[in-house]
């Protein structure tokens, strides 16, 4: 399984690592990839896309690397699942709701509730991230 993410402050990367721990704990192999190092050919055969991006600016996805990558998935959604996660510092999660809608419009199934964390994943939030990874591994 591949976790593809973008992280500016390290919070979303920390979430990716915790989700990866959860996946690994279920006996699955996981690879963490910064979105800058991924091209569409790397993921065409993946049944589940695990994607992480923080809220940026006015509750948007990161616009230079991540949003163009997401837009490149427009014709890949049918028959695939997507699991989304990310961190935020303000707002109410609007960026995640918009992202979920975008992925559904691309034909992706979202089998699990997306995970968002305010700032850094610590305590219960860290536990939620690990559990999310376990749930992903068992889809």
């Amino acid at each position: 399984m591949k976790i593809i993410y973008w992280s500016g402050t390290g919070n979303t990367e920390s979430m990716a690592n915790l989700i990866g721990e959860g996946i690994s704990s279920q006996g699955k192999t996981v690879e963490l990839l910064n979105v800058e190092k991924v091209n569409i050919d790397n993921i065409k055969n993946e049944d589940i896309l695990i994607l992480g991006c923080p809220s940026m600016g006015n509750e948007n996805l990161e616009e230079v690397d991540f949003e163009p990558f997401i837009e490149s998935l427009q014709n890949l959604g049918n028959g695939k699942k997507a699991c989304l996660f990310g961190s935020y510092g303000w707002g109410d999660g609007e960026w995640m709701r918009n992202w979920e809608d975008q992925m559904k419009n691309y034909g992706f199934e979202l089998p699990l509730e997306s995970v968002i964390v305010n700032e850094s994943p610590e305590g219960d939030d860290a536990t939620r991230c690990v559990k999310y990874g376990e749930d992903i591994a068992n889809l």
Side-chain angles (χ1 to χ4, degrees):
M1 302 184 124
K2 295 178 181 172
I3 300 174
I4 301 164
Y5 69 93
W6 186 92
S7 187
T9 63
N11 293 337
T12 300
E13 182 176 14
S14 294
M15 292 178 74
N17 283 309
L18 291 164
I19 292 166
E21 286 177 27
I23 292 170
S24 295
S25 76
Q26 301 302 300
K28 304 275 178 145
T29 302
V30 66
E31 181 180 6
L32 274 67
L33 300 167
N34 187 302
V35 72
E36 297 166 356
K37 298 177 181 170
V38 177
N39 71 53
I40 203 79
D41 293 329
N42 295 90
I43 59 166
K44 279 185 178 176
N45 296 324
E46 297 291 321
D47 294 327
I48 302 171
L49 298 184
I50 308 162
L51 306 168
C53 186
S55 172
M56 301 291 291
N58 190 22
E59 291 213 64
N60 299 307
L61 294 175
E62 189 277 328
E63 297 173 334
V64 175
D65 294 306
F66 204 82
E67 181 63 33
F69 172 75
I70 294 301
E71 290 172 0
S72 76
L73 302 176
Q74 188 167 359
N75 297 316
L76 274 184
N78 290 332
K80 291 190 184 289
K81 296 177 176 125
C83 298
L84 312 178
F85 67 94
S87 61
Y88 67 101
W90 60 89
D92 68 354
E94 179 184 0
W95 107 98
M96 183 58 75
R97 292 188 300 274
N98 292 339
W99 185 16
E100 289 170 340
D101 289 343
Q102 181 181 16
M103 296 303 284
K104 288 175 188 173
N105 288 336
Y106 289 174
F108 286 90
E109 176 191 344
L110 304 178
L112 300 173
E113 184 177 332
S114 302
V115 173
I116 63 173
V117 169
N118 188 308
E119 302 296 344
S120 179
E122 298 172 359
D124 289 344
D125 287 332
T127 302
R128 276 193 319 128
C129 289
V130 172
K131 173 79 168 84
Y132 192 56
E134 293 169 355
D135 292 344
I136 291 169
N138 290 306
L139 285 175

